[in-house]
Amino acid sequence: MQDDPRTLVSTDWLAAHLKDPDLRVLDGSWYLPGVNRDAKAEYDAGHIPGARFFDIDDISDHRSDLPHMVPPVEKFMSRLRAMGVGDGHQVVVYDGAGLVSAARVWWLFRLMGQNNVAVLDGGLPKWQAEGHPIEDLPPVVRDRHMTVRVQNSLVRDVTQVSQASKLGDHAIIDARSAGRFRGEDPEPREGLRGGHIPGSQNVPFNTLFNDDGTMKSPEACREVFEAAGVDLSKPAITTCGSGVTAAILSLALERMGKADHSLYDGSWSEWGAFPTLPVATGDA
């Protein structure tokens, strides 16, 4: 794997740079309620040395009824400043599942105009399996200002996605499991219809991973997208259940050198709840 401090770095890279003065490590773990894992409690019990906890549910827009929507700029800036993360820092994000929710934090940083951010390939499981250290100490935090320049091209709302679905001028890519995409398996959130956005293609996020939980090479990821029928010549919109695993697709596209991608923040939590929006089922 080729380390890239703007997308994905290996555990070896992080181990070599862990004591760099301008490195900031974030634990971006987040789990669906049914998984029965407490991300903050697990962080408190043991984390990569110096890591801060990035609470995806807290650093979000609490004015919305939808889960963990993009936070207001001021909130993002103040929370990160309180964590001692700001301009000039190289950020590495990991999670306790391997490579799941960390990509959402990476995407949020990119949305806010912060490019020096990478996901830890394989996450905490790989880090621990290789015998690297963890600690339960709180990090020493010093305030650092963060300059935010929102990159609006990286996010899409329901109106924009609805138009893209009708016109067919974007590749809409769904990261959920095949059963949820086809409308055969129930949604983990109550009250949502089954199925997918008409015209979208299904690339379950775990199909982009190797057996050890690391991300496949850019070339192999491209083959996965193409095998799913994704037209990579079109601008891409990634989507999932609530905007978390969609960011894994966004990360893979970025690593492939495809810059024209955006993320549907409301995802199926929004689309599946609106009876006036069309829903497709099956593979088509």
Side-chain angles (χ1 to χ4, degrees):
M1 180 206 140
Q2 186 171 359
D3 292 305
D4 178 7
R6 292 187 166 211
T7 55
L8 196 68
V9 295
S10 64
T11 48
D12 287 343
W13 185 97
L14 182 58
H17 292 271
L18 195 58
K19 295 187 184 303
D20 289 3
D22 282 328
L23 179 78
R24 294 293 180 270
V25 181
L26 301 180
D27 183 329
S29 300
W30 174 88
Y31 305 105
L32 283 165
V35 178
N36 295 320
R37 291 184 66 173
D38 186 326
K40 181 59 164 62
E42 291 183 17
Y43 164 83
D44 289 338
H47 51 261
I48 293 176
R52 287 93 159 124
F53 183 71
F54 187 103
D55 190 332
I56 287 175
D57 284 327
D58 174 60
I59 307 175
S60 65
D61 189 353
H62 288 179
R63 301 167 300 184
S64 173
D65 293 332
L66 296 169
H68 41 255
M69 293 286 280
V70 170
V73 168
E74 297 77 12
K75 184 175 187 178
F76 184 85
M77 290 172 64
S78 66
R79 290 289 197 275
L80 270 294
R81 181 168 188 160
M83 275 190 259
V85 180
D87 294 341
H89 285 147
Q90 169 65 51
V91 176
V92 175
V93 193
Y94 73 89
D95 66 61
L99 201 171
V100 181
S101 56
R104 169 72 184 192
V105 182
W106 168 84
W107 175 80
L108 268 178
F109 269 78
R110 296 295 293 265
L111 179 66
M112 298 295 176
Q114 298 286 324
N115 292 323
N116 295 326
V117 55
V119 172
L120 180 63
D121 200 16
L124 188 63
K126 189 170 190 290
W127 178 266
Q128 289 188 275
E130 294 170 349
H132 295 298
I134 62 169
E135 65 181 20
D136 58 5
L137 302 172
V140 178
V141 174
R142 297 179 181 86
D143 274 11
R144 177 77 74 97
H145 174 73
M146 176 178 286
T147 303
V148 168
R149 302 180 185 86
V150 178
Q151 307 298 304
N152 289 310
S153 63
L154 290 178
V155 65
R156 290 289 178 267
D157 63 23
V158 65
T159 303
Q160 294 167 315
V161 177
S162 179
Q163 183 180 33
S165 173
K166 290 172 185 173
L167 296 178
D169 57 353
H170 286 68
I172 304 174
I173 318 169
D174 193 323
R176 294 176 300 155
S177 67
R180 289 171 66 189
F181 180 84
R182 290 194 291 259
E184 297 168 354
D185 295 343
E187 287 294 312
R189 293 177 177 83
E190 291 185 14
L192 299 183
R193 298 169 296 166
H196 58 269
I197 299 168
S200 59
Q201 276 84 37
N202 187 206
V203 179
F205 71 87
N206 57 5
T207 61
L208 297 171
F209 295 161
N210 298 306
D211 291 340
D212 64 355
T214 57
M215 184 170 275
K216 292 179 178 178
S217 69
E219 297 76 19
C221 286
R222 182 178 294 276
E223 291 175 3
V224 172
F225 283 111
E226 290 176 345
V230 176
D231 185 349
L232 292 171
S233 69
K234 296 179 180 179
I237 299 173
T238 63
T239 182
C240 60
S242 64
V244 173
T245 57
I248 299 170
L249 306 189
S250 300
L251 177 64
L253 292 168
E254 187 74 19
R255 291 187 71 233
M256 287 159 45
K258 183 172 176 58
D260 55 346
H261 59 82
S262 54
L263 185 147
Y264 174 25
D265 198 23
S267 282
W268 199 251
S269 294
E270 182 174 40
W271 193 284
F274 278 94
T276 54
L277 290 171
V279 167
T281 55
D283 290 318

mmCIF file with all atom_site columns, all heavy atoms in Angstrom, residues 178-186 194-195 281-283:
data_model
loop_
_atom_site.group_PDB
_atom_site.id
_atom_site.type_symbol
_atom_site.label_atom_id
_atom_site.label_alt_id
_atom_site.label_comp_id
_atom_site.label_asym_id
_atom_site.label_entity_id
_atom_site.label_seq_id
_atom_site.pdbx_PDB_ins_code
_atom_site.Cartn_x
_atom_site.Cartn_y
_atom_site.Cartn_z
_atom_site.occupancy
_atom_site.B_iso_or_equiv
_atom_site.pdbx_formal_charge
_atom_site.auth_seq_id
_atom_site.auth_comp_id
_atom_site.auth_asym_id
_atom_site.auth_atom_id
_atom_site.pdbx_PDB_model_num
ATOM 1  N N   . ALA A 1 178 ? -26.351 -5.534 0.040  1.00 0.00 ? 178 ALA A N   1
ATOM 2  C CA  . ALA A 1 178 ? -27.177 -5.873 -1.113 1.00 0.00 ? 178 ALA A CA  1
ATOM 3  C C   . ALA A 1 178 ? -28.629 -6.119 -0.705 1.00 0.00 ? 178 ALA A C   1
ATOM 4  O O   . ALA A 1 178 ? -29.564 -5.735 -1.421 1.00 0.00 ? 178 ALA A O   1
ATOM 5  C CB  . ALA A 1 178 ? -26.611 -7.100 -1.822 1.00 0.00 ? 178 ALA A CB  1
ATOM 6  N N   . GLY A 1 179 ? -28.845 -6.743 0.457  1.00 0.00 ? 179 GLY A N   1
ATOM 7  C CA  . GLY A 1 179 ? -30.196 -7.022 0.915  1.00 0.00 ? 179 GLY A CA  1
ATOM 8  C C   . GLY A 1 179 ? -30.990 -5.763 1.204  1.00 0.00 ? 179 GLY A C   1
ATOM 9  O O   . GLY A 1 179 ? -32.189 -5.675 0.892  1.00 0.00 ? 179 GLY A O   1
ATOM 10 N N   . ARG A 1 180 ? -30.345 -4.771 1.804  1.00 0.00 ? 180 ARG A N   1
ATOM 11 C CA  . ARG A 1 180 ? -31.019 -3.501 2.066  1.00 0.00 ? 180 ARG A CA  1
ATOM 12 C C   . ARG A 1 180 ? -31.242 -2.738 0.762  1.00 0.00 ? 180 ARG A C   1
ATOM 13 O O   . ARG A 1 180 ? -32.287 -2.122 0.565  1.00 0.00 ? 180 ARG A O   1
ATOM 14 C CB  . ARG A 1 180 ? -30.208 -2.659 3.057  1.00 0.00 ? 180 ARG A CB  1
ATOM 15 C CG  . ARG A 1 180 ? -30.218 -3.201 4.476  1.00 0.00 ? 180 ARG A CG  1
ATOM 16 C CD  . ARG A 1 180 ? -29.238 -2.463 5.371  1.00 0.00 ? 180 ARG A CD  1
ATOM 17 N NE  . ARG A 1 180 ? -29.626 -1.064 5.562  1.00 0.00 ? 180 ARG A NE  1
ATOM 18 C CZ  . ARG A 1 180 ? -28.839 -0.165 6.167  1.00 0.00 ? 180 ARG A CZ  1
ATOM 19 N NH1 . ARG A 1 180 ? -27.632 -0.524 6.605  1.00 0.00 ? 180 ARG A NH1 1
ATOM 20 N NH2 . ARG A 1 180 ? -29.252 1.082  6.313  1.00 0.00 ? 180 ARG A NH2 1
ATOM 21 N N   . PHE A 1 181 ? -30.268 -2.760 -0.127 1.00 0.00 ? 181 PHE A N   1
ATOM 22 C CA  . PHE A 1 181 ? -30.393 -2.080 -1.413 1.00 0.00 ? 181 PHE A CA  1
ATOM 23 C C   . PHE A 1 181 ? -31.585 -2.628 -2.208 1.00 0.00 ? 181 PHE A C   1
ATOM 24 O O   . PHE A 1 181 ? -32.371 -1.865 -2.779 1.00 0.00 ? 181 PHE A O   1
ATOM 25 C CB  . PHE A 1 181 ? -29.095 -2.247 -2.203 1.00 0.00 ? 181 PHE A CB  1
ATOM 26 C CG  . PHE A 1 181 ? -29.095 -1.595 -3.566 1.00 0.00 ? 181 PHE A CG  1
ATOM 27 C CD1 . PHE A 1 181 ? -28.791 -0.252 -3.704 1.00 0.00 ? 181 PHE A CD1 1
ATOM 28 C CD2 . PHE A 1 181 ? -29.402 -2.324 -4.713 1.00 0.00 ? 181 PHE A CD2 1
ATOM 29 C CE1 . PHE A 1 181 ? -28.782 0.360  -4.959 1.00 0.00 ? 181 PHE A CE1 1
ATOM 30 C CE2 . PHE A 1 181 ? -29.388 -1.735 -5.960 1.00 0.00 ? 181 PHE A CE2 1
ATOM 31 C CZ  . PHE A 1 181 ? -29.078 -0.381 -6.079 1.00 0.00 ? 181 PHE A CZ  1
ATOM 32 N N   . ARG A 1 182 ? -31.730 -3.937 -2.206 1.00 0.00 ? 182 ARG A N   1
ATOM 33 C CA  . ARG A 1 182 ? -32.818 -4.563 -2.970 1.00 0.00 ? 182 ARG A CA  1
ATOM 34 C C   . ARG A 1 182 ? -34.174 -4.437 -2.270 1.00 0.00 ? 182 ARG A C   1
ATOM 35 O O   . ARG A 1 182 ? -35.201 -4.712 -2.874 1.00 0.00 ? 182 ARG A O   1
ATOM 36 C CB  . ARG A 1 182 ? -32.497 -6.039 -3.204 1.00 0.00 ? 182 ARG A CB  1
ATOM 37 C CG  . ARG A 1 182 ? -31.352 -6.275 -4.179 1.00 0.00 ? 182 ARG A CG  1
ATOM 38 C CD  . ARG A 1 182 ? -31.290 -7.715 -4.633 1.00 0.00 ? 182 ARG A CD  1
ATOM 39 N NE  . ARG A 1 182 ? -30.880 -8.615 -3.565 1.00 0.00 ? 182 ARG A NE  1
ATOM 40 C CZ  . ARG A 1 182 ? -29.656 -9.117 -3.432 1.00 0.00 ? 182 ARG A CZ  1
ATOM 41 N NH1 . ARG A 1 182 ? -28.710 -8.795 -4.313 1.00 0.00 ? 182 ARG A NH1 1
ATOM 42 N NH2 . ARG A 1 182 ? -29.364 -9.940 -2.437 1.00 0.00 ? 182 ARG A NH2 1
ATOM 43 N N   . GLY A 1 183 ? -34.156 -4.033 -1.001 1.00 0.00 ? 183 GLY A N   1
ATOM 44 C CA  . GLY A 1 183 ? -35.393 -3.920 -0.244 1.00 0.00 ? 183 GLY A CA  1
ATOM 45 C C   . GLY A 1 183 ? -35.837 -5.224 0.376  1.00 0.00 ? 183 GLY A C   1
ATOM 46 O O   . GLY A 1 183 ? -36.985 -5.351 0.810  1.00 0.00 ? 183 GLY A O   1
ATOM 47 N N   . GLU A 1 184 ? -34.919 -6.196 0.466  1.00 0.00 ? 184 GLU A N   1
ATOM 48 C CA  . GLU A 1 184 ? -35.261 -7.513 1.016  1.00 0.00 ? 184 GLU A CA  1
ATOM 49 C C   . GLU A 1 184 ? -35.012 -7.582 2.524  1.00 0.00 ? 184 GLU A C   1
ATOM 50 O O   . GLU A 1 184 ? -35.723 -8.287 3.237  1.00 0.00 ? 184 GLU A O   1
ATOM 51 C CB  . GLU A 1 184 ? -34.430 -8.591 0.310  1.00 0.00 ? 184 GLU A CB  1
ATOM 52 C CG  . GLU A 1 184 ? -34.713 -8.689 -1.176 1.00 0.00 ? 184 GLU A CG  1
ATOM 53 C CD  . GLU A 1 184 ? -33.690 -9.536 -1.910 1.00 0.00 ? 184 GLU A CD  1
ATOM 54 O OE1 . GLU A 1 184 ? -32.691 -9.961 -1.284 1.00 0.00 ? 184 GLU A OE1 1
ATOM 55 O OE2 . GLU A 1 184 ? -33.890 -9.769 -3.118 1.00 0.00 ? 184 GLU A OE2 1
ATOM 56 N N   . ASP A 1 185 ? -34.011 -6.866 3.014  1.00 0.00 ? 185 ASP A N   1
ATOM 57 C CA  . ASP A 1 185 ? -33.684 -6.866 4.439  1.00 0.00 ? 185 ASP A CA  1
ATOM 58 C C   . ASP A 1 185 ? -34.226 -5.596 5.098  1.00 0.00 ? 185 ASP A C   1
ATOM 59 O O   . ASP A 1 185 ? -34.242 -4.533 4.473  1.00 0.00 ? 185 ASP A O   1
ATOM 60 C CB  . ASP A 1 185 ? -32.164 -6.936 4.644  1.00 0.00 ? 185 ASP A CB  1
ATOM 61 C CG  . ASP A 1 185 ? -31.573 -8.241 4.157  1.00 0.00 ? 185 ASP A CG  1
ATOM 62 O OD1 . ASP A 1 185 ? -32.349 -9.205 3.970  1.00 0.00 ? 185 ASP A OD1 1
ATOM 63 O OD2 . ASP A 1 185 ? -30.344 -8.292 3.955  1.00 0.00 ? 185 ASP A OD2 1
ATOM 64 N N   . PRO A 1 186 ? -34.656 -5.702 6.355  1.00 0.00 ? 186 PRO A N   1
ATOM 65 C CA  . PRO A 1 186 ? -35.198 -4.521 7.040  1.00 0.00 ? 186 PRO A CA  1
ATOM 66 C C   . PRO A 1 186 ? -34.124 -3.474 7.317  1.00 0.00 ? 186 PRO A C   1
ATOM 67 O O   . PRO A 1 186 ? -32.944 -3.806 7.486  1.00 0.00 ? 186 PRO A O   1
ATOM 68 C CB  . PRO A 1 186 ? -35.752 -5.099 8.341  1.00 0.00 ? 186 PRO A CB  1
ATOM 69 C CG  . PRO A 1 186 ? -34.955 -6.347 8.579  1.00 0.00 ? 186 PRO A CG  1
ATOM 70 C CD  . PRO A 1 186 ? -34.665 -6.904 7.220  1.00 0.00 ? 186 PRO A CD  1
ATOM 71 N N   . GLY A 1 194 ? -38.121 0.110  2.354  1.00 0.00 ? 194 GLY A N   1
ATOM 72 C CA  . GLY A 1 194 ? -37.019 -0.670 1.829  1.00 0.00 ? 194 GLY A CA  1
ATOM 73 C C   . GLY A 1 194 ? -36.764 -0.341 0.373  1.00 0.00 ? 194 GLY A C   1
ATOM 74 O O   . GLY A 1 194 ? -37.680 0.043  -0.360 1.00 0.00 ? 194 GLY A O   1
ATOM 75 N N   . GLY A 1 195 ? -35.528 -0.497 -0.064 1.00 0.00 ? 195 GLY A N   1
ATOM 76 C CA  . GLY A 1 195 ? -35.187 -0.252 -1.459 1.00 0.00 ? 195 GLY A CA  1
ATOM 77 C C   . GLY A 1 195 ? -34.082 0.756  -1.611 1.00 0.00 ? 195 GLY A C   1
ATOM 78 O O   . GLY A 1 195 ? -33.273 0.947  -0.696 1.00 0.00 ? 195 GLY A O   1
ATOM 79 N N   . THR A 1 281 ? -36.779 -1.211 -6.082 1.00 0.00 ? 281 THR A N   1
ATOM 80 C CA  . THR A 1 281 ? -36.406 -2.428 -5.365 1.00 0.00 ? 281 THR A CA  1
ATOM 81 C C   . THR A 1 281 ? -35.770 -3.406 -6.343 1.00 0.00 ? 281 THR A C   1
ATOM 82 O O   . THR A 1 281 ? -35.774 -3.195 -7.554 1.00 0.00 ? 281 THR A O   1
ATOM 83 C CB  . THR A 1 281 ? -37.628 -3.073 -4.701 1.00 0.00 ? 281 THR A CB  1
ATOM 84 O OG1 . THR A 1 281 ? -38.640 -3.295 -5.696 1.00 0.00 ? 281 THR A OG1 1
ATOM 85 C CG2 . THR A 1 281 ? -38.189 -2.173 -3.602 1.00 0.00 ? 281 THR A CG2 1
ATOM 86 N N   . GLY A 1 282 ? -35.220 -4.469 -5.800 1.00 0.00 ? 282 GLY A N   1
ATOM 87 C CA  . GLY A 1 282 ? -34.515 -5.420 -6.638 1.00 0.00 ? 282 GLY A CA  1
ATOM 88 C C   . GLY A 1 282 ? -33.139 -4.892 -7.022 1.00 0.00 ? 282 GLY A C   1
ATOM 89 O O   . GLY A 1 282 ? -32.622 -3.961 -6.405 1.00 0.00 ? 282 GLY A O   1
ATOM 90 N N   . ASP A 1 283 ? -32.545 -5.480 -8.042 1.00 0.00 ? 283 ASP A N   1
ATOM 91 C CA  . ASP A 1 283 ? -31.199 -5.080 -8.445 1.00 0.00 ? 283 ASP A CA  1
ATOM 92 C C   . ASP A 1 283 ? -31.175 -3.841 -9.318 1.00 0.00 ? 283 ASP A C   1
ATOM 93 O O   . ASP A 1 283 ? -30.152 -3.172 -9.438 1.00 0.00 ? 283 ASP A O   1
ATOM 94 C CB  . ASP A 1 283 ? -30.506 -6.230 -9.198 1.00 0.00 ? 283 ASP A CB  1
ATOM 95 C CG  . ASP A 1 283 ? -30.168 -7.381 -8.257 1.00 0.00 ? 283 ASP A CG  1
ATOM 96 O OD1 . ASP A 1 283 ? -29.702 -7.106 -7.124 1.00 0.00 ? 283 ASP A OD1 1
ATOM 97 O OD2 . ASP A 1 283 ? -30.382 -8.543 -8.636 1.00 0.00 ? 283 ASP A OD2 1
#
